[in-house]
Amino acid sequence: MVKPADRRPADDHAAAPATPRTPSLHTPSLHTPAPPTPAPRVAVIAHRKKTLGGGLDELRKLITGYDVDDLLWYEVPKSKKAPKKVRKALKDGAELFFLWGGDGTVQRCVDALAGSDATIAVVPAGTANLLARNLGIPEDLAEAVRIGFEGRRAKLDLGKINGEHFAVMAGVGLDAEMIADADRGLKDRLGRFAYIWTGLRHVGGAVTPMKIKIDGDDWFEGDASCVLIGNVGTVTGGIDVFEDARYDDGRLDVGVSTAQGPVQWARTLGRMSAGHAGKSPFVRVTRARKVSVKLRTPTAYELDGGVRDPVKRITVEAVPHAVTVCLPDTTT
């Protein structure tokens, strides 16, 4: 925990919450105080088109209200520009990264930060903000910054699909199609409702023949409308698809849906909304460390809300304890 600038810096490592000082039992003449721990090197990676609270000006004011050493500040016009700035900040010694944007921006950043010693503070300034919601980080700028400096630290698993890390989920089929449609200006106009709208448009879409292996074993073969692979429980559209998912168990939750048409999808979404996706006759759910999906025809896939080019094969692996994140004390 880092104290505000008008307080004395914490004595523990900057990337960990502070502990109260214990009064010395030595007399002042015999005790030499330990030098204070240097303030952390803080970097901000901000998608300048995203907004929260008083905007980036307020973010700067809140961060500089703490004892920080030489704030590194980077704004990007698109999320795909973020990794280059992350790598530069790491090279310059950044220890604590404030990531301003939505899940797409955070995904691009964690892909570059995976395996590093840096700590991540998420500032949910996007549309869905699914990672922040799963971690209990509110859409409150002052509180998000406070959690970044004073919250507890925890290790977060990541998934890795075709060589690229994700924090929330990856998907093939209906999921990727609705996200692609929502990205075509709908998110700016409709916000989170964009996902619901595009989902309704695609429920009558065609199924795709595929084969799925779980940890090397055959698990599914047939026509499916959607495959979801989650690192957390609440995914596309804010639906709790994987009710028992944990972000720190070293595994990914996997679901495949064979639902076709509005009637079957209505039944499936009803079960999902109630937190019982696995009880739907059109859904199979399991857990895995590695997932392989072979598609008959090239199909687009998505990770954390960003759509990637069509492929005929995807490989997804769990990456345990890949990054350190800042959490509110109440997050389980």
Side-chain angles (χ1 to χ4, degrees):
M1 176 171 69
V2 180
K3 295 293 186 183
D6 61 347
R7 302 180 190 174
R8 192 174 180 183
D11 280 343
D12 60 348
H13 191 278
T19 55
R21 293 178 180 274
T22 302
S24 173
L25 298 178
H26 299 285
T27 62
S29 61
L30 298 178
H31 177 59
T32 301
T37 301
R41 197 82 185 272
V42 177
V44 171
I45 310 294
H47 191 314
R48 67 167 64 104
K49 295 180 181 179
K50 305 299 181 180
T51 184
L52 178 68
L56 291 173
D57 288 343
E58 184 184 359
L59 177 65
R60 186 187 291 271
K61 180 179 179 181
L62 289 167
I63 289 176
T64 55
Y66 285 82
D67 184 18
V68 299
D69 177 32
D70 189 18
L71 176 62
L72 303 174
W73 189 277
Y74 304 100
E75 296 181 25
V76 295
K78 296 180 179 180
S79 60
K80 67 180 180 180
K81 303 286 187 180
K84 182 178 180 180
K85 303 302 184 184
V86 170
R87 289 189 287 268
K88 186 177 188 306
L90 282 173
K91 185 177 180 180
D92 290 340
E95 302 164 275
L96 175 60
F97 283 74
F98 282 86
L99 307 182
W100 169 283
D103 293 307
T105 303
V106 173
Q107 180 274 318
R108 296 282 190 175
C109 292
V110 299
D111 187 45
L113 289 165
S116 74
D117 293 328
T119 299
I120 296 169
V122 178
V123 184
T127 303
N129 304 314
L130 290 174
L131 180 60
R133 293 174 68 185
N134 279 277
L135 298 181
I137 300 169
E139 294 180 13
D140 179 300
L141 181 51
E143 181 62 8
V145 171
R146 188 199 68 78
I147 290 169
F149 283 110
E150 303 179 33
R152 68 183 180 90
R153 273 48 175 162
K155 289 292 187 178
L156 175 74
D157 296 341
L158 295 176
K160 193 173 185 180
I161 178 169
N162 288 8
E164 193 173 1
H165 295 88
F166 63 92
V168 179
M169 64 175 181
V172 181
L174 174 70
D175 175 61
E177 292 171 0
M178 60 185 276
I179 286 174
D181 267 6
D183 276 345
R184 294 174 185 142
L186 278 177
K187 285 198 296 184
D188 293 336
R189 300 196 302 271
L190 302 179
R192 289 174 185 162
F193 185 71
Y195 295 110
I196 299 173
W197 174 254
T198 58
L200 292 173
R201 290 178 57 190
H202 283 280
V203 293
V207 293
T208 302
M210 63 181 69
K211 296 179 181 180
I212 303 175
K213 287 189 175 183
I214 298 296
D215 294 331
D217 297 323
D218 293 336
W219 181 66
F220 175 88
E221 181 174 357
D223 294 339
S225 48
C226 181
V227 179
L228 280 179
I229 302 163
N231 188 44
V232 292
T234 303
V235 294
T236 304
I239 299 174
D240 295 322
V241 176
F242 304 115
E243 54 185 325
D244 297 320
R246 291 188 58 87
Y247 57 77
D248 59 358
D249 64 358
R251 293 176 181 270
L252 298 167
D253 286 69
V254 185
V256 59
S257 174
T258 58
Q260 299 182 56
V263 175
Q264 291 184 2
W265 266 112
R267 292 176 60 188
T268 301
L269 292 173
R271 291 290 180 97
M272 287 182 176
S273 299
H276 303 300
K279 295 181 180 179
S280 168
F282 308 110
V283 175
R284 288 184 64 185
V285 176
T286 190
R287 284 181 176 164
R289 291 186 173 91
K290 183 176 181 179
V291 184
S292 300
V293 182
K294 184 178 180 181
L295 303 151
R296 181 175 297 178
T297 58
T299 305
Y301 67 96
E302 66 85 15
L303 62 161
D304 289 356
V307 180
R308 302 296 186 262
D309 291 337
V311 296
K312 293 185 71 173
R313 187 185 299 270
I314 63 170
T315 300
V316 190
E317 297 179 276
V319 185
H321 297 178
V323 292
T324 300
V325 292
C326 305
L327 300 178
D329 292 334
T330 55
T331 301
T332 56

